[in-house]
């Protein structure tokens, strides 16, 4: 709510301005017509100008409607981290016509609201660390999962991180067994925008725990066969 309030207030101010200018223009034209200043030739000219402006403003109207729907449907707001089509970043501005994102390289990306298709909001209500690691096939999977679970519970119990983690971390188990290794997945539900900080800390602690326990990560297994001489 704190993120969305300024976004909605700026958008509402923009729509109010559009409405005021539209009504003001209609009043001016009406008064000119009442005073007899709008002759038939002027009316025809205004008609052509209105037609030309309607053609030129089709994309603008599409952008305005797109911006309105983004706000009404609460797809994202200033301060969210989103991926729009193939562009991702922190939402810096949601206007009536465009959305502005700032990516990790510091680039400002401006996207017309009318061209926005699929939107992935990475910080709506809550976020999640979706972490998977491959360990060597020779490792004891139950032992590895026990270590991963212990590290996650210690992180959850740490006062410095407890407020950022919404619930007890969950280890899903083995997702795949390949020649690379055994893939084990862990989920940690966090506050919005905190999944990256929590994920980095969890990986740091897991690396230390694996080093202490002598757990090896997965390495591609290849078999070399020497052919007999011809």
């Amino acid at each position: 709510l704190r993120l969305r309030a300024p976004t909605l207030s700026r958008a509402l101010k923009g729509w109010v301005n559009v409405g005021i200018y539209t009504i003001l223009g209609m009043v001016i034209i009406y008064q000119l017509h009442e005073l007899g200043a709008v002759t038939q030739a002027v009316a025809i000219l205004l008609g052509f100008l209105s037609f030309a402006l309607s053609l030129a403003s089709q994309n603008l109207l599409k952008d305005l409607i797109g911006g309105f729907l983004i706000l009404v449907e609460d797809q994202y707001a200033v301060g969210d981290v989103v991926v729009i089509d193939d562009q991702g970043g922190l939402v810096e501005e949601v206007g009536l016509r465009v959305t502005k994102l700032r990516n990790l390289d510091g680039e400002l990306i401006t996207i017309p609201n009318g061209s926005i298709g699929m939107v992935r909001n990475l910080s709506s209500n809550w976020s999640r660390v979706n972490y998977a690691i491959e360990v060597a096939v020779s490792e004891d999977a139950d032992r590895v999962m026990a270590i991963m679970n212990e590290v996650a519970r210690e992180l959850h119990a740490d006062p410095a991180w407890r407020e950022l983690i919404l619930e007890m971390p969950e280890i899903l188990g083995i997702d795949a067994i390949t020649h690379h290794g055994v893939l084990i997945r862990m989920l940690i539900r966090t506050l919005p925008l905190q999944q990256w900080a929590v994920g980095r800390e969890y990986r740091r602690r897991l690396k230390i725990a694996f080093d202490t326990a002598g757990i090896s990560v997965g390495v591609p297994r290849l078999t070399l066969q020497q052919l007999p001489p011809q």
Side-chain angles (χ1 to χ4, degrees):
L1 292 177
R2 189 172 66 251
L3 289 175
R4 280 149 179 73
T7 303
L8 292 173
S9 64
R10 283 194 296 269
L12 182 61
K13 181 179 178 181
W15 278 105
V16 169
N17 289 336
V18 170
I20 290 174
Y21 291 139
T22 301
I23 294 173
L24 183 61
M26 294 173 62
V27 170
I28 291 174
I29 293 176
Y30 176 77
Q31 291 297 328
L32 290 176
H33 177 70
E34 289 294 314
L35 295 174
V38 180
T39 62
Q40 184 176 5
V42 174
I44 294 175
L45 178 60
L46 290 175
F48 277 115
L49 289 175
S50 300
F51 178 72
L53 287 174
S54 65
L55 292 178
S57 62
Q58 285 183 358
N59 289 334
L60 176 61
L61 182 61
K62 182 180 178 182
D63 293 338
L64 294 177
I65 294 175
F68 176 74
L69 292 177
I70 288 171
L71 296 173
V72 169
E73 297 171 357
D74 194 23
Q75 297 180 22
Y76 53 83
V78 173
D80 280 329
V81 175
V82 300
V83 177
I84 299 176
D85 296 326
D86 60 344
Q87 300 293 336
L90 177 71
V91 179
E92 286 198 349
E93 181 180 335
V94 182
L96 294 180
R97 195 180 70 82
V98 298
T99 293
K100 295 182 179 181
L101 307 179
R102 182 80 63 175
N103 65 16
L104 287 177
D105 294 327
E107 300 169 339
L108 183 63
I109 304 170
T110 302
I111 305 174
N113 291 331
S115 66
I116 293 176
M118 183 185 69
V119 177
R120 288 191 293 146
N121 192 329
L122 307 183
S123 57
S124 178
N125 299 324
W126 54 271
S127 300
R128 174 182 284 161
V129 177
N130 181 8
Y131 177 66
I133 185 172
E134 280 187 324
V135 297
V137 176
S138 59
E139 296 292 346
D140 184 340
D142 290 336
R143 177 169 174 256
V144 172
M145 287 190 289
I147 293 174
M148 292 178 65
N149 197 39
E150 181 182 357
V151 172
R153 289 179 177 273
E154 289 177 355
L155 180 63
H156 179 264
D158 190 330
W161 296 92
R162 184 185 305 151
E163 299 299 326
L164 305 182
I165 302 175
L166 297 179
E167 59 187 31
M168 190 65 67
E170 177 185 7
I171 186 163
L172 298 184
I174 298 174
D175 267 2
I177 301 176
T178 67
H179 70 285
H180 289 274
V182 179
L183 183 68
I184 302 175
R185 189 173 302 277
M186 164 73 71
L187 298 180
I188 306 175
R189 189 171 176 178
T190 72
L191 290 176
L193 298 175
Q194 298 301 322
Q195 66 269 38
W196 297 292
V198 173
R200 293 187 189 101
E201 178 63 15
Y202 176 72
R203 288 190 290 270
R204 185 188 71 83
R205 296 187 180 206
L206 187 62
K207 172 65 167 61
I208 296 173
F210 275 5
D211 289 344
T212 302
I215 303 295
S216 301
V217 297
V219 177
R221 300 170 64 89
L222 300 176
T223 301
L224 300 179
Q225 182 177 3
Q226 184 177 2
L227 297 176
Q230 298 294 334

